[in-house]
Amino acid sequence: MVMTAFPIWALLLSGLAMVFPQLFVDLKSWIVPLLMLVMLGMGLTLKWQDFQQVWQHRFVVALGVAIQFLVMPFAAWLLSMLFGLSLELTIGMMLVGATAGGTASNVIAYLAKGDVALSVSMTLISTLAAVFLLPLLTWLYIGQKVDVPVMSMLMMLLKLIVLPILMGMAINHFWHAKLQKVLPLFPLFSMAVILLIIAIVVALNANNIETVAWTVIAAVILHNLIGMTSGYYLARKFGYDSVIARTVAIEVGMQNSGLSVALALKYFTAASALPGAVFSIWHNISGSVFASYWQKKDKSPK
């Protein structure tokens, strides 16, 4: 299964980037265009009618998005303080914490027997909300320590997220039938892009990665687990069943770390991109384990 193999490929490419960083360092400028293509691919899978689905799920979508943009940024800031992370790494943690749900969450929700339509709805709304909330939350938490270019990030996110998604939706509207043969390739393309981004970030940090890796890994693992745990238990607390709760947990815990990496490299430093790269590897591992647990639990006799 492709999703199960993702962490293995990520670790292999990270090792390659550590040993031969020169293979990837010069590809830094590719990250933004490649992410725009990923967002275009997301738009190609969407129809205007999908917004009606969002409206049908409006209460639980609102709950999930609220958890995502309240719990995850605060957890990122708190863990950065507790682990004594440098300012550069704290910026990276905040960019991961304040970003949207990742598109891989939709695949994991399917594998976990969650509500895929709800997962897609939450990804869509959190992605659009992140255009405004990501720069704002980053500024609120660390703006007093570092100059956060809020307006520039806002314009960048409009170009990086909103424009490609709208273009993809328009293409899907006019050429829907012709797209059906190539659409299955886009999830594979998205994963390949994230793998390449991880390798680039590791290569850029090859000289200092050994000194910071373990604290960053620990902070990232806890951050992801806080997101999944809070998503599940808060959804249950509000009266939703296990299927809805596990969907919210996956959506909150699995962030669009590729986007956070792109912003870190454009506006801050290579070190600031490191938490996002580590998160990309880890959340696919934890998501796969979570999905496997629910698959077995649903099959077990009641």
Side-chain angles (χ1 to χ4, degrees), residues 131-274:
V131 173
F132 303 98
L133 291 178
L134 195 158
L136 177 62
L137 288 166
T138 305
W139 175 77
L140 283 173
Y141 277 95
I142 57 173
Q144 68 275 20
K145 295 182 180 179
V146 65
D147 181 27
V148 177
V150 176
M151 289 309 298
S152 179
M153 284 175 71
L154 176 60
M155 292 299 106
M156 177 69 176
L157 287 166
L158 284 169
K159 181 177 79 172
L160 192 60
I161 293 175
V162 178
L163 187 60
I165 286 178
L166 289 177
M167 286 177 62
M169 291 178 72
I171 292 169
N172 187 26
H173 178 74
F174 291 106
W175 292 285
H176 179 73
K178 294 181 179 179
L179 283 172
Q180 297 313 299
K181 290 183 180 179
V182 296
L183 279 181
L185 299 176
F186 275 96
L188 292 173
F189 172 75
S190 298
M191 284 186 275
V193 167
I194 299 303
L195 288 170
L196 180 58
I197 289 173
I198 291 169
I200 294 169
V201 172
V202 170
L204 291 168
N205 287 282
N207 292 329
N208 64 356
I209 200 166
E210 290 181 13
T211 59
V212 299
W214 290 110
T215 47
V216 172
I217 289 169
V220 163
I221 288 174
L222 285 172
H223 189 211
N224 168 249
L225 294 179
I226 287 169
M228 296 187 83
T229 304
S230 61
Y232 186 85
Y233 283 104
L234 285 172
R236 293 291 279 168
K237 203 75 175 172
F238 276 83
Y240 292 102
D241 64 22
S242 170
V243 173
I244 298 295
R246 73 185 74 161
T247 307
V248 174
I250 292 164
E251 195 65 31
V252 172
M254 298 189 69
Q255 301 289 78
N256 189 344
S257 43
L259 177 61
S260 70
V261 165
L263 294 174
L265 290 175
K266 180 168 179 62
Y267 293 107
F268 302 103
T269 64
S272 297
L274 193 55

Side-chain angles (χ1 to χ4, degrees), residues 91-117:
I91 290 168
M93 287 291 292
M94 287 309 309
L95 290 173
V96 173
T99 195
T103 51
S105 63
N106 308 147
V107 179
I108 296 297
Y110 170 75
L111 295 176
K113 299 185 183 299
D115 187 325
V116 178

Side-chain angles (χ1 to χ4, degrees), residues 67-76 97 223-224 226-227 252-253 255 279:
I67 296 169
Q68 187 150 44
F69 288 109
L70 290 173
V71 172
M72 291 300 274
F74 178 72
H223 189 211
N224 168 249
I226 287 169
V252 172
Q255 301 289 78
F279 202 98

